[in-house]
């Protein structure tokens, strides 16, 4: 059985505590409680493979790589200050350099006439942080294709810089770079890619360009795996990724019931030894692959029921305690063990178990290049 590495993030590693003060949550967001939730998730996944966080992965990277990322992260208009930064980086320990990479500080100078009257060569200084807080959702930055990896290209400009860090991390953990990288102008986010041993579903909606799906299909049409390419015409603001309303498990799919037969949601089935089929409804596409459909109500979707995380190669699903009462009865009848972990604080960040974890699967199969796909 292929082994799995789980990338799990603790929000406190990437989100400065000051950010928690400005979250619109009632009761207020608790960073310590979120850290405990991440620890509980790690403990469950550790029984099934190696678990690392972004920070832990960076700590194992080469010093030159960390310094390069830190130099890219710092902002200062004063050339002399930037030269001082480079000298400092030559002496700083890796742990401090990783703080710079994740927090992205910028020095801003503010001229002031009253200050100039008493200190002619001085300016007021402020220190701005531009943290890579989106790294708390590692699902978005790449897609595990069951051995190969597709690096994401995130559409939001304030999060696009996160992938430079993940790119280094993936190279370190895999011993080689990502196998697919979307070109500039085409977007791909891991939340729009769901992969199991026999089926993969690719979502094209808010965040992933339809043109990005094509190169992934060739990588996924292996070992008898079918690929369903879904075009989401509903584009709900609160459901901007495929994994907000669809989740794949072993031989089954949890799907928002209203999308199964919606004319705004179309699906194309790809098979290894046959031409792509015509666009059809999502229900029909899933049924043609022999997938058991588990429909979810709007209320269940709202409680993150579609965001259960299925452990690769196991009949085990991990979900939040808030969603457990909805998920367990649906999956018990299919022989799936459902494990619940507390995740309410993560929910305040509009995240869930599935969003907070990504995988790296080992495979002995030969990986084709994008040109060959």
């Amino acid at each position: 059985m292929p082994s799995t590495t789980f990338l799990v993030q603790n929000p406190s590693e990437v989100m400065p505590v000051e950010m928690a003060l400005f979250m619109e949550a009632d009761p207020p967001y608790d960073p310590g409680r979120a850290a405990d939730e991440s620890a509980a998730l790690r403990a469950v996944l550790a029984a099934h493979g190696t678990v690392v966080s972004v920070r832990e992965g960076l700590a194992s990277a080469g010093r030159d790589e960390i310094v390069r990322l830190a130099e890219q992260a710092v902002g200062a208009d004063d050339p002399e200050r930037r030269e001082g930064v480079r000298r400092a980086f030559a002496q700083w320990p890796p742990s401090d350099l990783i703080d710079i990479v994740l927090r992205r500080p910028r020095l801003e100078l503010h001229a002031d006439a009253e200050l100039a009257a008493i200190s002619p060569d001085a300016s007021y200084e402020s220190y701005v942080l531009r943290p890579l807080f989106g790294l708390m959702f590692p699902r978005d930055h790449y897609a595990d294709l069951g051995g190969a990896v597709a690096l994401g290209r995130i559409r939001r400009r304030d999060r696009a810089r996160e992938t430079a860090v993940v790119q280094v991390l993936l190279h370190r953990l895999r011993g080689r770079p990502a196998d697919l990288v979307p070109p500039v102008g085409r977007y791909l986010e891991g939340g729009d890619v769901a992969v199991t041993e026999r089926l993969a579903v690719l979502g094209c909606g808010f965040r992933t360009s339809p043109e990005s799906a094509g190169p992934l299909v060739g990588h996924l049409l292996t070992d008898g795996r079918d690929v369903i390419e879904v075009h989401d015409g509903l584009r709900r603001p609160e459901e901007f990724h495929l994994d907000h309303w669809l989740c794949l498990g072993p031989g089954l799919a949890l799907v928002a019931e209203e999308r199964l037969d919606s004319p705004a949601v179309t699906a194309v089935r790809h098979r290894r030894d046959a031409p792509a089929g015509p666009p059809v409804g999502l229900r029909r596409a899933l049924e043609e692959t022999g997938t058991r459909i588990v429909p979810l109500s709007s209320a269940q979707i709202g409680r993150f029921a579609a965001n259960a995380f299925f452990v690769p190669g196991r009949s085990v699903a991990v979900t939040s305690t808030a969603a457990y009462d909805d998920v367990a009865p649906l999956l018990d009848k299919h022989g799936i063990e459902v494990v619940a972990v507390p995740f309410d604080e993560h929910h305040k960040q509009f995240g869930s178990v599935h969003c907070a974890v990504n995988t790296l699967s080992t495979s002995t199969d030969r990986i084709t290049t994008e040109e060959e796909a």
Side-chain angles (χ1 to χ4, degrees):
M1 179 182 295
S3 63
T4 302
T5 297
F6 301 97
L7 184 63
V8 178
Q9 191 50 273
N10 179 345
S12 64
E13 291 188 1
V14 296
M15 187 181 75
V17 68
E18 295 86 350
M19 291 182 61
L21 297 175
F22 301 102
M23 290 182 59
E24 297 178 357
D26 185 18
Y29 178 78
D30 184 341
R33 185 176 177 185
D36 291 341
E37 291 176 353
S38 291
L41 177 59
R42 287 185 65 125
V44 169
L45 296 178
H48 304 288
T50 302
V51 184
V52 297
S53 71
V54 169
R55 188 179 186 95
E56 290 166 344
L58 287 176
S60 68
R63 181 181 179 85
D64 289 346
E65 288 182 311
I66 299 175
V67 169
R68 177 178 60 81
L69 290 173
E71 289 180 344
Q72 294 173 350
V74 172
D77 296 330
D78 186 343
E80 293 185 5
R81 300 286 187 106
R82 291 196 63 85
E83 180 58 33
V85 166
R86 283 189 284 270
R87 292 196 302 269
F89 284 169
Q91 305 297 325
W92 282 21
S95 60
D96 290 341
L97 293 174
I98 292 173
D99 283 339
I100 297 299
V101 172
L102 298 177
R103 290 177 173 247
R104 295 181 57 86
R106 176 177 177 80
L107 169 66
E108 295 186 352
L109 303 178
H110 309 275
D112 183 87
E114 291 184 0
L115 177 62
I118 58 175
S119 298
D121 59 346
S123 299
Y124 286 119
E125 299 179 0
S126 61
Y127 306 91
V128 179
L129 299 182
R130 302 162 295 158
L132 300 182
F133 62 92
L135 286 171
M136 72 178 71
F137 305 127
R139 174 66 51 177
D140 298 341
H141 304 99
Y142 69 93
D144 180 357
L145 307 182
V149 166
L151 186 70
R153 187 179 292 278
I154 296 181
R155 190 180 290 268
R156 279 185 56 159
R157 288 178 295 175
D158 61 340
R159 296 196 59 199
R161 57 186 183 244
E162 297 165 10
T163 55
V165 175
V166 174
Q167 192 168 23
V168 170
L169 181 64
L170 292 175
H171 198 165
R172 180 65 181 176
L173 294 175
R174 305 174 71 233
R176 64 184 188 274
D179 307 283
L180 284 174
V181 180
V184 175
R186 294 185 180 180
Y187 300 96
L188 172 68
E189 302 197 13
D192 286 318
V193 182
V195 180
T196 63
E197 184 179 0
R198 294 302 176 193
L199 177 66
V201 179
L202 309 178
C204 303
F206 273 117
R207 304 292 179 89
T208 294
S209 307
E211 298 84 0
S212 296
L216 271 67
V217 171
H219 282 256
L220 290 166
L221 289 177
T222 58
D223 298 328
R225 181 190 288 121
D226 283 358
V227 180
I228 296 177
E229 182 181 340
V230 178
H231 292 260
D232 179 16
L234 289 180
R235 296 200 171 199
R236 295 266 173 80
E238 69 278 11
E239 298 174 357
F240 48 80
H241 280 146
L242 178 80
D243 67 7
H244 288 125
W245 54 269
L246 180 144
C247 185
L248 288 185
L252 57 85
L254 284 73
V255 191
E257 186 171 24
E258 64 174 342
R259 291 176 179 267
L260 286 169
D261 302 301
S262 171
V265 180
T266 59
V268 174
R269 180 187 178 191
H270 299 269
R271 289 174 288 176
R272 187 172 187 177
D273 299 318
V280 296
L282 181 56
R283 183 190 299 274
R284 177 178 169 184
L286 289 169
E287 289 176 343
E288 287 179 352
T289 66
T291 301
R292 293 167 290 174
I293 297 173
V294 181
L296 302 172
S297 68
S298 296
Q300 290 171 325
I301 291 293
R303 290 191 290 273
F304 295 88
N307 251 303
F309 172 73
F310 286 89
V311 178
R314 309 290 203 281
S315 294
V316 177
V318 185
T319 190
S320 68
T321 52
Y324 179 83
D325 288 343
D326 288 298
V327 174
L330 298 174
L331 298 184
D332 283 345
K333 65 183 69 175
H334 298 288
I336 306 296
E337 177 188 359
V338 182
V339 180
V341 295
F343 236 62
D344 289 349
E345 295 304 308
H346 286 72
H347 285 182
K348 294 175 183 177
Q349 297 270 22
F350 301 101
S352 65
V353 172
H354 192 273
C355 299
V357 59
N358 208 339
T359 61
L360 286 172
S361 302
T362 61
S363 174
T364 57
D365 296 336
R366 177 181 177 272
I367 298 175
T368 59
T369 64
E370 183 169 353
E371 288 75 17
E372 295 172 317

